[in-house]
Amino acid sequence: SASDSYEFIKVSEPRARVGQVTLNRPKALNALSTPLIKELNTALRAFQGTPSIGAIIITGSARAFAAGADIKEMAPLTFSRAYLDSFIENWSELTTSVKKPIIAAVSGHALGGGCELALMCDLIYCTTSANFGQPEIKLGIIPGAGGSQRLTKAIGKAKAMELILTGKSFSGEEAEKWGVAARSYPDHESLMKATLDTAETIASYSRVAVQACKEVVNKSQDLGVRDGVDYERRVFHSLFGSIDQKIGMTAFVEKKKAEWFHE
Ligand code: CAA
């Protein structure tokens, strides 16, 4: 299977049209090494290129989503190498190359780069006891995979500044309350069931409409409201050029179930 070619992740299709990447470096609490990120990017690109896949899940274990960038790999890193190799830049490849929705299912530790990877996803579900945080300050560095920007957008400057300056963690329960996570669940099993159900629901809809939803919602993070609403309207208009708009509205009028057009 495709999973056999990976060392640090597992890939699966746990439900119809749903692709899943499970981070799998248990001895290092899924620390995100350069080889792991390369595998993650390869697997996500493969799901993006597989027409039958309509939604993607990234998850870890009950103990750790990911405990951050690999500190043992980074310890000897120099400024010149980090700068010349654009260290960490390829971590955010998924935010541009993957157009299908990605759900992060977070149990246990999601620290540093682990928290940032979750924040790069389109939707976060977590356990109430999940342990989110940006502890980089304790290592003499700062968040480097978007945490200072995405966490601040998600929870506001007051809370983000406090968390990033102190390195204190926040729970999955808080993540839900503050709007970082869409929902939280009492344990890993119920989290995974809910994540799979949501992924399956998303994957059952029109691919064109789903991709457009993701695109316009994510645009709101970069644009002001006026430009964002203009952008949304352009994309909204364009959907009247899709077959699925005709299929969806005709099915409604005829009181039938829509059978979406899948190329
Ligand atoms: N990198 C490398 N190895 C890590 C790691 C990391 N980020 N996190 C954990 N590990 C390793 C530990 O070294 C340990 O390995 P050994 O058995 O070989 O000693 C193994 O995973 C298990 O970890 P612990 O024994 O520490 O487990 P614990 O349950 O006592 O503690 C923890 C769990 C609180 C998550 C703790 O491991 C920890 O604090 N990890 C580091 C968290 C961190 O600082 N993350 C931010 C990294 S910097 C970053 O991510 C930069 C960025 O913005 C991109």
Side-chain angles (χ1 to χ4, degrees), residues 134 136-138 143 158-168:
Q134 299 289 161
E136 287 88 347
I137 190 74
K138 297 179 188 172
K159 284 206 181 322
M161 188 65 93
E162 185 208 36
L163 289 168
I164 291 168
L165 282 175
T166 63
K168 280 184 186 158

Side-chain angles (χ1 to χ4, degrees), residues 222-251:
D222 298 324
L223 296 180
V225 172
R226 186 187 295 260
D227 286 340
V229 170
D230 284 346
Y231 188 86
E232 180 197 72
R233 195 180 312 105
R234 291 283 175 225
V235 177
F236 172 69
H237 289 166
S238 75
L239 290 179
F240 289 89
S242 77
I243 297 169
D244 285 335
Q245 175 269 328
K246 297 288 176 286
I247 291 172
M249 293 193 182
T250 305

Side-chain angles (χ1 to χ4, degrees), residues 96-126:
T96 51
S97 66
V98 181
K99 316 291 186 189
K100 298 173 185 180
I102 305 179
I103 308 175
V106 177
S107 289
H109 302 292
L111 299 173
C115 184
E116 292 168 305
L117 175 62
L119 288 165
M120 280 177 216
C121 296
D122 302 299
L123 181 59
I124 300 176
Y125 279 3
C126 63

Side-chain angles (χ1 to χ4, degrees), residues 6 9 33-43 45 90:
Y6 296 114
I9 63 172
S33 60
T34 299
L36 184 153
I37 293 291
K38 281 198 179 132
E39 290 190 357
L40 175 65
N41 285 339
T42 302
R45 244 183 278 117
N90 69 339

Side-chain angles (χ1 to χ4, degrees), residues 56-154:
I56 300 166
I57 296 167
I58 301 178
T59 192
S61 66
R63 190 173 169 210
F65 178 73
D70 190 321
I71 300 169
K72 290 164 191 169
E73 178 187 326
M74 285 186 295
L77 192 63
T78 60
F79 165 75
S80 319
R81 276 281 44 101
Y83 181 65
L84 292 170
D85 298 343
S86 284
F87 179 57
I88 303 258
E89 192 176 313
N90 69 339
W91 285 42
S92 52
E93 195 182 292
L94 66 93
T95 64
T96 51
S97 66
V98 181
K99 316 291 186 189
K100 298 173 185 180
I102 305 179
I103 308 175
V106 177
S107 289
H109 302 292
L111 299 173
C115 184
E116 292 168 305
L117 175 62
L119 288 165
M120 280 177 216
C121 296
D122 302 299
L123 181 59
I124 300 176
Y125 279 3
C126 63
T127 55
T128 49
S129 62
N131 182 38
F132 289 91
Q134 299 289 161
E136 287 88 347
I137 190 74
K138 297 179 188 172
L139 298 167
I141 56 164
I142 68 167
S148 67
Q149 309 303 300
R150 292 195 182 93
L151 187 62
T152 307
K153 278 271 185 198

Side-chain angles (χ1 to χ4, degrees), residues 29 45 70 124 184 198 218:
L29 301 182
R45 244 183 278 117
D70 190 321
I124 300 176
S184 63
T198 294
N218 283 337

